[in-house]
Amino acid sequence: MAEPLSPCVELTRLRTAAPLVHNITNFVAMNVMANVQLAIGASPAMIHAREEAAEFASIASALTVNIGTLSPEWLAAMHDAAAAATAAGRSWVLDPVAAGATGFRRRAAAELLALSPTVIRGNASEVIALAASAGISAAPEMSGKGVDASDPVAAAEKAADALARSSGAVVAVTGVEDYVTDGSRRARIANGHALMPRVTALGCALTGVVGAFLGAGSPAFDGTITALAYYGLAGEQAAQHAGGPGSFLPAFLDALAAIGPEELERGARIQTTD
Amino acid sequence: MAEPLSPCVELTRLRTAAPLVHNITNFVAMNVMANVQLAIGASPAMIHAREEAAEFASIASALTVNIGTLSPEWLAAMHDAAAAATAAGRSWVLDPVAAGATGFRRRAAAELLALSPTVIRGNASEVIALAASAGISAAPEMSGKGVDASDPVAAAEKAADALARSSGAVVAVTGVEDYVTDGSRRARIANGHALMPRVTALGCALTGVVGAFLGAGSPAFDGTITALAYYGLAGEQAAQHAGGPGSFLPAFLDALAAIGPEELERGARIQTTD
Amino acid sequence: MAEPLSPCVELTRLRTAAPLVHNITNFVAMNVMANVQLAIGASPAMIHAREEAAEFASIASALTVNIGTLSPEWLAAMHDAAAAATAAGRSWVLDPVAAGATGFRRRAAAELLALSPTVIRGNASEVIALAASAGISAAPEMSGKGVDASDPVAAAEKAADALARSSGAVVAVTGVEDYVTDGSRRARIANGHALMPRVTALGCALTGVVGAFLGAGSPAFDGTITALAYYGLAGEQAAQHAGGPGSFLPAFLDALAAIGPEELERGARIQTTD
């Protein structure tokens, strides 16, 4: 019988390991993601040139890949880094930003999916689009929206299940209530606050938190769930000190740094089902 | 007789439409611009690869183009996107950052001007340099400054008038007191605060606010004026809570999110002349 | 006999000159560095295309070069800009981020070192790696860390001395207590706070402060020491108002803007030895 999920254990592991995380992410998210990773106790590095991406991916403890402000050169480096991470036995996380918005993005997301990410994290629209791009489920109606989710999390659960079974990845759909599945197990995480989608790149930075837990050695399903609960709990605490989306971000980073393992255990609102 | 300008009507339109705005902007501004657009109620997307820039420009409600950290590859994508936006009947805004600083920049700004932006927003030095690069008015004295305005707004009014008449664009010169013209009508906006130029990329992010109003369907002259008054009013409110340029930015985003249409109508200090 | 070092004189010089500083830096640091330079009273410009980097470097008062998110194209522009700055009699600062992490980075750092930077600023691990890459001292043990210093400042003092004598640059090793040398003179600066390394890119932005002092005309040794004391003092003041790394950054920018020359003279904790 498997150990029951313990956010306290996973956060303790992260704080002890202080893992070096290699991120290839978009220009909007880079600074926020680095600050989020520093706040939680990880060590971020942003490295994207083909001349060094693979070499660095094998040095780091985990890799995150985000297609937000994609270009062909960066996509090639993402391929190199993902392959090197896998070859070195490292976990990597795919964040398929706006995966359905253009043909370039649909192809890029499907190519990266074929490189076997350990975890996929996206909003409902992105998970639906990624599953469709990979031919796993039906193509969605175009919503006319960019990087923001226009679909509720519940609408993406079937696509997430299919994507997890087909790819072997843990799939996390984040939104008002998050949904995580590895194809057989399922969890819902109710932490979070309405100001979070009003701050740019918080979803992208969350992918960096998932990567940090993987880099610290958390099992993919447990680490992902813990990352989501921790992030949402920090959002709840930050909202108590925020007068709007601007003052929310500094308070959020403070909360991420301040929350301890036992506080997380008490505050996490996780529901798991097999 | 035309409807009189109503900031209340324009901001209500923006909040209702929540337009998707496509931005090709500089690396310094991307995060701030996205946060500003989220705070005002718009949905930002940063997309710059040639493989998708034109496709995305025709999906989005409006486009903004900023030459701050320019490269030849990005300039090509800006051309593609601007042409696609125009072809799809979308408005687009040109922000000619440091247009006079180098030969590369003078040529780039003149090429983009030839693609018929709906609105041009810059500081006095940039508007003077852009008009000169396009051969519309005399070349300015080099000021030896980079992206900061070394000329007062008043010094750019003639260049702005000539640029508006020649290009068909609404031209906004921002500074202590902003000046907006469509070549026949003129407006001056007195909102703002001295801390605003002490925070990087606030001018760039303002271009994103103009784009959001256009994407929501505001007429170009009215939308631009409303954007400037709204932005300046938020700056005035933020300054009351700020201890310097660092604490100003969070307070500014909070104010942008909090200001309602009627509050804007009361606080806007706009003087129009025909 | 040389004038004794006076932080008051150097900061007065900076505030009077308000120098235009050309920065080629990494994507994570760009926004923070620009805000830091604005807060201290300088005028930042981020320009990296080969089409204009050399031209702009000869217009600006000083140049800073940071290899954080390096690519071959940007490295070529760094070469052009550094050569142009030197040819125009301008000072330039090298920030060898993660210089030891990959082969690409070791070669890039050694190439830039050969272009005679006026000042080199890095953490202990970076200075040790740079000296080794240039064949000046023995190669370090790989620490498995990315951009964060895993070595204490004291461990890098010999490498810094050798690097300064070999290159002619002033070398600054920053950490808990900073160390600055020009090969014959030495200084230790004890200002600073433990929250500073918890905020991303504060080291990178410090390089921009050094560049601003050089651009204002400070002698390299005195300007570098003053920059480090000023930065650390602002950190000490910010920490009094901060609840964690998130609220630290706005308070830090406020403190940089608020500290005056005489306050710096009183608060600077500098120890110099010949």
Side-chain angles (χ1 to χ4, degrees):
Chain A
M1 199 179 123
E3 291 284 317
L5 168 68
S6 166
C8 178
V9 167
E10 302 309 332
L11 184 54
T12 302
R13 200 195 299 264
L14 171 62
R15 293 274 162 81
T16 306
L20 173 64
V21 185
H22 178 189
N23 308 292
I24 308 183
T25 189
N26 68 74
F27 298 119
V28 183
M30 281 194 190
N31 185 279
V32 177
M33 184 187 243
N35 273 328
V36 162
Q37 289 183 332
L38 285 170
I40 66 175
S43 182
M46 276 61 184
I47 299 268
H48 63 83
R50 288 200 78 176
E51 283 73 11
E52 60 177 352
E55 182 180 351
F56 197 79
S58 64
I59 296 170
S61 298
L63 169 72
T64 75
V65 170
N66 172 305
I67 63 168
T69 51
L70 197 62
S71 65
E73 295 75 19
W74 284 53
L75 181 56
M78 291 171 184
H79 285 206
D80 292 353
T86 300
R90 304 295 197 282
S91 298
W92 73 279
V93 189
L94 173 62
D95 190 333
V97 176
T102 66
F104 176 52
R105 217 156 265 277
R106 283 188 289 273
R107 287 188 298 278
E111 286 170 25
L112 289 165
L113 180 62
L115 293 170
S116 300
T118 314
V119 178
I120 299 163
R121 191 217 61 83
N123 63 39
S125 304
E126 290 160 353
V127 169
I128 292 169
L130 179 61
S133 299
I136 295 163
S137 59
E141 304 279 315
M142 280 302 291
S143 68
K145 277 291 174 186
V147 299
D148 299 319
S150 48
D151 301 297
V153 169
E157 293 192 2
K158 277 188 188 165
D161 291 344
L163 194 55
R165 279 192 300 268
S166 158
S167 69
V170 168
V171 178
V173 187
T174 57
V176 174
E177 188 177 78
D178 306 323
Y179 177 76
V180 179
T181 180
D182 65 357
S184 59
R185 292 175 293 174
R186 288 170 183 76
R188 288 188 174 78
I189 299 95
N191 297 96
H193 191 274
L195 275 174
M196 299 179 81
R198 298 293 302 274
V199 180
T200 198
L202 282 202
C204 303
L206 170 53
T207 295
V209 177
V210 174
F213 277 99
L214 299 183
S218 286
F221 188 67
D222 293 11
T224 301
I225 293 168
T226 301
L228 272 46
Y230 176 22
Y231 212 66
L233 181 63
E236 294 165 18
Q237 295 188 358
Q240 296 174 9
H241 303 283
S247 50
F248 179 86
L249 180 58
F252 178 64
L253 293 168
D254 286 357
L256 284 172
I259 290 172
E262 291 175 15
E263 186 179 0
L264 174 58
E265 188 82 27
R266 286 192 303 275
R269 290 184 281 146
I270 300 165
Q271 207 182 6
T272 54
T273 55
D274 283 330
Chain B
M1 198 179 124
E3 290 284 318
L5 167 70
S6 167
C8 178
V9 167
E10 303 309 331
L11 184 53
T12 301
R13 199 195 301 265
L14 170 63
R15 293 274 162 80
T16 306
L20 174 65
V21 185
H22 177 188
N23 307 292
I24 308 183
T25 190
N26 67 75
F27 299 119
V28 182
M30 281 194 189
N31 185 278
V32 178
M33 185 187 242
N35 273 328
V36 162
Q37 289 182 332
L38 286 170
I40 66 174
S43 181
M46 275 61 184
I47 299 269
H48 64 83
R50 288 200 80 176
E51 285 72 12
E52 59 177 353
E55 181 180 351
F56 198 80
S58 62
I59 296 170
S61 297
L63 169 71
T64 75
V65 170
N66 173 304
I67 63 168
T69 51
L70 197 62
S71 65
E73 296 75 19
W74 284 53
L75 181 56
M78 291 171 184
H79 284 206
D80 293 354
T86 301
R90 304 294 196 283
S91 298
W92 73 279
V93 189
L94 173 61
D95 189 333
V97 176
T102 65
F104 176 51
R105 218 156 264 277
R106 283 187 289 274
R107 287 188 299 278
E111 287 170 24
L112 289 165
L113 179 63
L115 292 169
S116 300
T118 314
V119 178
I120 298 162
R121 190 218 61 83
N123 63 39
S125 303
E126 291 159 354
V127 169
I128 291 169
L130 180 61
S133 299
I136 295 163
S137 59
E141 304 278 316
M142 281 301 291
S143 70
K145 276 293 173 186
V147 299
D148 299 319
S150 48
D151 300 297
V153 170
E157 292 192 2
K158 277 188 187 164
D161 291 345
L163 195 54
R165 281 193 297 268
S166 158
S167 69
V170 167
V171 178
V173 188
T174 57
V176 175
E177 187 177 78
D178 306 323
Y179 177 76
V180 179
T181 180
D182 65 357
S184 58
R185 291 175 294 174
R186 287 170 183 76
R188 288 187 174 78
I189 299 97
N191 296 97
H193 190 273
L195 275 173
M196 299 179 81
R198 298 293 301 275
V199 181
T200 197
L202 281 202
C204 304
L206 170 53
T207 295
V209 177
V210 174
F213 277 99
L214 300 183
S218 286
F221 188 67
D222 292 12
T224 302
I225 293 168
T226 301
L228 271 47
Y230 176 23
Y231 212 67
L233 181 63
E236 294 165 18
Q237 294 187 358
Q240 296 175 8
H241 302 283
S247 49
F248 179 85
L249 180 59
F252 178 64
L253 293 167
D254 286 356
L256 284 172
I259 290 173
E262 292 174 15
E263 185 180 0
L264 174 58
E265 187 83 26
R266 285 193 302 276
R269 290 185 281 147
I270 300 166
Q271 208 183 4
T272 54
T273 54
D274 282 331
Chain C
M1 199 180 124
E3 290 284 318
L5 167 69
S6 167
C8 178
V9 167
E10 303 308 332
L11 184 53
T12 302
R13 200 195 300 264
L14 171 61
R15 293 272 161 83
T16 306
L20 173 65
V21 185
H22 178 188
N23 307 293
I24 308 183
T25 190
N26 68 74
F27 299 119
V28 183
M30 279 193 191
N31 185 278
V32 177
M33 185 187 242
N35 273 328
V36 162
Q37 290 183 332
L38 285 171
I40 66 174
S43 181
M46 276 61 184
I47 300 268
H48 64 83
R50 286 200 80 176
E51 284 73 12
E52 59 178 353
E55 182 181 352
F56 198 80
S58 63
I59 296 170
S61 297
L63 169 72
T64 75
V65 170
N66 173 306
I67 64 169
T69 52
L70 198 62
S71 64
E73 295 75 19
W74 284 53
L75 181 56
M78 291 170 184
H79 284 205
D80 292 353
T86 300
R90 303 294 197 282
S91 297
W92 74 279
V93 189
L94 173 62
D95 190 332
V97 176
T102 65
F104 176 52
R105 218 157 264 276
R106 282 187 290 274
R107 287 188 300 276
E111 286 169 25
L112 289 165
L113 180 63
L115 293 170
S116 300
T118 314
V119 177
I120 299 162
R121 190 218 61 83
N123 63 38
S125 302
E126 291 159 353
V127 169
I128 292 169
L130 179 61
S133 299
I136 295 163
S137 59
E141 302 279 315
M142 281 302 291
S143 69
K145 277 292 172 186
V147 300
D148 299 319
S150 49
D151 300 297
V153 170
E157 294 193 1
K158 277 187 188 165
D161 291 345
L163 194 54
R165 280 192 298 267
S166 158
S167 68
V170 167
V171 178
V173 187
T174 57
V176 175
E177 186 176 79
D178 307 322
Y179 177 76
V180 179
T181 181
D182 65 357
S184 59
R185 293 175 292 174
R186 289 170 181 77
R188 288 188 173 78
I189 300 97
N191 297 97
H193 190 274
L195 275 173
M196 298 180 82
R198 299 293 301 274
V199 180
T200 197
L202 282 202
C204 303
L206 170 53
T207 295
V209 178
V210 174
F213 277 99
L214 299 183
S218 286
F221 188 66
D222 292 12
T224 301
I225 292 168
T226 301
L228 271 48
Y230 176 22
Y231 212 67
L233 181 62
E236 294 166 18
Q237 294 188 359
Q240 295 175 9
H241 304 282
S247 49
F248 179 85
L249 180 59
F252 178 63
L253 293 168
D254 286 356
L256 283 173
I259 290 173
E262 291 175 15
E263 186 180 1
L264 175 58
E265 187 84 25
R266 286 192 303 275
R269 291 185 280 146
I270 300 166
Q271 207 183 6
T272 54
T273 55
D274 286 329

